[in-house]
Amino acid sequence: DSGAGVLAKGTVLGKITKGAASSAAKSGGNAANTGTLTLDATTPILAGAKAGVYTVRCITAATNGGIFRVTDPNGNVLGDVAVAATFSNQIKFSISDGTQDFIVGEGFDVTIAAGSGNYTAYDNDNVDGSEAAAAILAEDVDATSADVNAIAYVAGEFNSAALTGYDAAAGVDFEGKPIFIGSVL
């Protein structure tokens, strides 16, 4: 992936499956001046997030408040959040009240765009999809200023000491896949 820098043979790779997050009033809109959903400026996308549309719908109306239910792109309920509180499960945001109260059914859609599908150095702390170890780079590459086509292994036996970026979480990601990690004494 462009901007990944110089990556050495043996670097554990993850696939970028998620892009930026954006929010908008639900399709069909809300009443005027009901309030706004504001994505967290630093970390709007959290671990476990999926590309697609999250729905945030008012389930309990209240004067100067309300309760909203958050559902992931697969239709799974992630939880409820009150107006003025912060929601922090896969996505992070807060809802502010406007001059007009929310009514049941109003809400917002939070969209996480699909990622580039490119591979970059795995990092368990990332939230763009590359936090899941998926392959091992088979050659040195310089992706500092442009995307680079490269060969990567998705199967094989590897010496953990020869890998860059390999950690226990990557080992868990490789479980059930034809990538076997061991050590040479």
Side-chain angles (χ1 to χ4, degrees), residues 13-122:
L13 303 174
K15 186 175 184 178
I16 300 171
T17 58
K18 294 172 278 204
S22 62
S23 66
K26 73 172 191 152
S27 179
N30 296 327
N33 301 316
T34 52
T36 58
L37 180 146
T38 304
L39 291 169
D40 186 79
T42 307
T43 55
I45 301 172
L46 303 175
K50 304 166 183 68
V53 179
Y54 288 77
T55 60
V56 182
R57 298 293 184 264
C58 182
I59 59 168
T60 305
T63 302
N64 298 320
I67 304 292
F68 287 75
R69 175 147 299 148
V70 182
T71 306
D72 76 7
N74 296 334
N76 300 310
V77 173
L78 298 179
D80 298 340
V81 62
V83 169
T86 299
F87 185 82
S88 186
N89 181 359
Q90 297 185 25
I91 55 176
K92 187 174 182 181
F93 64 86
S94 61
I95 297 173
S96 61
D97 185 37
T99 55
Q100 184 170 328
D101 292 330
F102 287 104
I103 60 173
V104 171
E106 288 185 322
F108 305 91
D109 293 330
V110 175
T111 302
I112 298 179
S116 65
N118 292 340
Y119 288 81
T120 191
Y122 153 84

Side-chain angles (χ1 to χ4, degrees), residues 108-154:
F108 305 91
D109 293 330
V110 175
T111 302
I112 298 179
S116 65
N118 292 340
Y119 288 81
T120 191
Y122 153 84
D123 184 334
N124 195 50
D125 292 330
N126 288 346
V127 293
D128 62 1
S130 65
E131 69 274 13
I136 297 172
L137 190 60
E139 59 187 334
D140 294 340
V141 298
D142 184 352
T144 301
S145 59
D147 290 348
V148 176
N149 288 325
I151 297 171
Y153 300 109
V154 294

Side-chain angles (χ1 to χ4, degrees), residues 5 17 176 179-180:
T17 58
I179 293 181
F180 304 97

